[in-house]
């Protein structure tokens, strides 16, 4: 039995170092300023639909969701219980909007040469001998999450990279799919030789930088609640889309050919027989 890392027709025209960066228009990079904000709000594909409400302290970096509306430490009050005036504390910002997950770059590469068939030896002194070997494969998918330069495995499959949930990029690979494949291959081994197959899968990586789109941004500059400001942009940066380019997901999966089969670089190896090959 030959088990290979990827099987199919050789993939032609595959770029092994291509990347298409997303446009930086209408976005500001929070990296280095508020590193915990985007990884908390847009966690593993969350808050994709509808409007979410968040309260963020730009000094202490505390973050709370909508359940803290009107509550300490986000809000304070003046006056008695019946006539209390509730106001947003200074340094706390109210963010309303939603997350989206555009592709920031994509590249393809040739995977490691790890698959190997059993070697076949022709110990006959005559002509070549023909062997038939079987090869099979099931595609693989991985997701890596990187925050601040630290990478870890992620369970984001089905949230960020699932086309059925509205992935914001072209879906031309095998992510979130399981494709089984098998075939038989003939191998003609010359006299006095031992040969075997290996395979390198072609893999594609799609990198996604989560964004948060601001519907509104509200803050208060006076402790009695008379200094409210509302905008549709983040502070003084002037952009509505918040992104942290040091926070991203890499989805890796097999490249598929036009027949929806995984592609590979298939390699035939050979050497002269040794004593143990034929005894």
């Amino acid at each position: 039995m030959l088990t290979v890392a990827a099987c199919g027709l050789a993939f032609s025209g595959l770029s092994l170092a291509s990347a298409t960066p997303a446009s930086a228009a209408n976005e500001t990079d929070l990296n280095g300023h508020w590193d915990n904000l985007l990884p908390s709000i847009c966690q593993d594909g969350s808050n994709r639909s509808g409007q979410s409400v968040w309260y963020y302290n730009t000094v202490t970096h505390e973050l709370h969701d909508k359940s803290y509306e009107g509550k300490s430490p986000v809000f304070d009050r003046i006056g008695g219980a019946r006539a209390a005036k509730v106001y947003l504390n200074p340094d706390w910002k109210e963010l309303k909007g939603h997350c989206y997950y555009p592709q920031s770059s994509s590249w393809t590469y040739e995977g490691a040469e790890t698959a190997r068939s059993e070697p076949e030896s022709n110990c006959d002194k005559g002509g070549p001998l023909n062997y038939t070997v079987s090869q099979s494969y099931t595609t693989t998918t991985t997701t890596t999450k990187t925050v601040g330069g630290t990478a870890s495995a992620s369970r984001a499959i089905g949230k960020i990279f699932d086309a059925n949930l509205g992935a914001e990029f072209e879906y031309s690979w095998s992510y979130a799919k399981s494709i089984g494949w098998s075939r038989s291959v003939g191998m003609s081994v010359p006299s006095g030789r031992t040969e075997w197959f290996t395979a390198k899968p072609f893999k594609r990586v799609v990198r996604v930088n989560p964004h948060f789109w601001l519907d509104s941004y509200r803050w208060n500059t006076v402790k009695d609640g008379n200094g409210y400001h509302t905008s549709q942009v983040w502070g003084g940066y002037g952009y509505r889309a918040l992104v942290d380019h040091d926070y991203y997901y890499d989805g890796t999966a097999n490249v598929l050919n036009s027949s929806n089969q995984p592609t590979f670089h298939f390699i035939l190896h050979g050497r002269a027989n040794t004593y143990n090959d034929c005894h």
Side-chain angles (χ1 to χ4, degrees):
M1 172 65 71
L2 169 65
T3 302
V4 298
C7 304
L9 299 176
F11 192 83
S12 60
L14 183 66
S15 172
L16 297 179
S18 61
T20 305
S23 172
N26 207 28
E27 71 179 37
T28 185
D29 186 3
L30 300 183
N31 182 33
H33 299 282
W34 300 283
D35 289 340
N36 70 319
L37 182 57
L38 264 297
S40 300
I41 292 178
C42 302
Q43 178 68 250
D44 292 349
S46 60
N47 300 311
R48 196 174 211 147
S49 60
Q51 186 185 75
S52 60
V53 180
W54 299 88
Y55 299 102
Y56 186 65
N57 191 309
T58 53
V59 176
T60 65
H61 307 298
E62 294 174 82
L63 178 70
H64 295 298
D65 61 18
K66 187 178 181 181
S67 66
Y68 275 76
E69 183 176 2
K71 299 179 182 178
S72 178
V74 179
F75 289 83
D76 206 345
R77 63 179 60 209
I78 299 175
R82 292 186 177 181
K85 178 181 179 181
V86 178
Y87 62 91
L88 188 67
N89 274 320
D91 297 331
W92 284 94
K93 320 302 178 189
E94 181 187 73
L95 312 177
K96 293 183 179 180
H98 67 277
C99 299
Y100 63 106
Y101 300 86
Q103 172 182 313
S104 58
S105 60
S106 180
W107 63 94
T108 52
Y109 68 94
E110 192 174 275
E113 187 178 352
T114 57
R116 180 180 298 269
S117 73
E118 291 298 322
E120 297 289 351
S121 299
N122 183 355
C123 297
D124 194 335
K125 294 183 179 180
L129 292 181
N130 296 320
Y131 298 92
T132 299
V133 294
S134 298
Q135 47 193 39
S136 61
Y137 174 69
T138 300
T139 58
T140 58
T141 295
T142 60
T143 307
T144 302
K145 174 183 177 180
T146 299
V147 180
T150 301
S152 61
S154 171
R155 298 181 179 179
I157 182 171
K159 289 187 177 181
I160 292 181
F161 297 102
D162 191 337
N164 295 324
L165 295 180
E168 292 91 346
F169 45 83
E170 184 179 354
Y171 216 85
S172 60
W173 57 345
S174 62
Y175 201 93
K177 304 173 185 177
S178 180
I179 300 174
W181 186 96
S182 63
R183 72 173 181 177
S184 296
V185 177
M187 181 168 62
S188 181
V189 181
S191 176
R193 299 282 296 175
T194 296
E195 295 186 347
W196 64 96
F197 287 112
T198 61
K200 294 181 179 181
F202 286 113
K203 309 286 281 189
R204 180 185 178 197
V205 180
V206 168
R207 176 164 294 179
V208 168
N209 280 106
H211 287 56
F212 185 77
W213 181 261
L214 278 172
D215 292 329
S216 69
Y217 175 82
R218 188 168 72 114
W219 69 100
N220 174 32
T221 57
V222 182
K223 284 191 175 183
D224 63 3
N226 291 321
Y228 274 106
H229 304 272
T230 301
S231 178
Q232 290 183 322
V233 298
W234 174 258
Y237 287 90
Y239 299 105
R240 295 188 65 182
L242 309 182
V243 63
D244 183 345
H245 287 289
D246 208 19
Y247 165 49
Y248 54 86
Y249 294 86
D250 286 342
T252 304
N254 293 84
V255 174
L256 303 182
N257 61 23
S258 58
S259 300
N260 205 39
Q261 298 296 317
T263 61
F264 66 99
H265 178 196
F266 202 61
I267 306 167
L268 177 64
H269 298 269
R271 58 169 173 76
N273 287 339
T274 65
Y275 177 86
N276 290 333
D277 291 327
C278 298
H279 294 84

